[in-house]
Amino acid sequence: MTPAKLNSKARSRLTLLLIAAMFLSSFGVAAFLRFTGWTPGHGRNYGELLQPPRDLSGEKLLRADGEPYPWAPEKNVWRIVVVPAEDCTDACTRLLDSLGRVWLMQGRNADHIDVLWFGPLPADGPRFRRLIAMQPNPALSAALPESARPDAVPVYLIDPSGFLALHYRAGFDPKGLKKDLGKLVK
C-alpha cells in the first residue's frame, strides 16, 4: 500500500469514529440526565403531585343549598378544592380573590374549572360564575393530606375523573396554580 492510500484510509476511519462518537454521546448524555432524575423546568408541576392519586369520585358532595354536586367526568371539568378552617377570615378573603383571578386568567377554558369552597364563603370576597359554595364534608377533609389553619389554606386540584391529583401547600403562589391549569385544562 502506498502512504497516500494508508493516510486516506486512516482519515476515513477517524471520520467514521467521530460521527459514531457524536451520535452515541447524545444517548450517553440523555441516559445520564434520565438516571440522575433531572427534568426540564417547564415540565414540572408547581403543585405537589400526589402518588398514588386518591379517587374521590365515590364521595357524595353537596352544594351549600343541599343540591348534589355531580362529578360528570364526560364534561371534562377540573376542580379546585378549598377546605378552609372555621375561623378563617383575611386569609380566606385573599385566597378567594387569588382564585378568582386565576379562574379569570384561564380565558375560554375557565368554564372547565369549578372552584369548590367547602364552608361559608367570605362575606367580602369576590364572586365568579364557577365558584360553588359546598357543605362541609368530613370524609373529603379526612382524605386531604393537609389541614387548613386560620392564617393559611391549602388548595387541591381534582381531575375530571374525580382523582385528587395536585396539592398546593398553605401559602402557595397562585401563579403556579395558574400555570398548572394552563397546561392541564384544554
Side-chain angles (χ1 to χ4, degrees), residues 63 69-70 77-81 103 110-116 130-132:
R63 296 172 183 251
Y69 177 81
V77 173
W78 288 78
R79 293 153 187 97
I80 298 171
V81 172
W103 184 82
D111 284 333
H112 292 282
I113 302 167
D114 283 349
V115 178
L116 306 180
R130 298 300 290 245
L131 173 64
I132 303 170

Side-chain angles (χ1 to χ4, degrees), residues 18-35:
L18 284 172
I19 290 172
M22 287 174 36
F23 179 74
L24 294 174
S25 67
S26 62
F27 287 108
V29 169
F32 172 76
L33 293 175
R34 165 71 174 93
F35 292 116

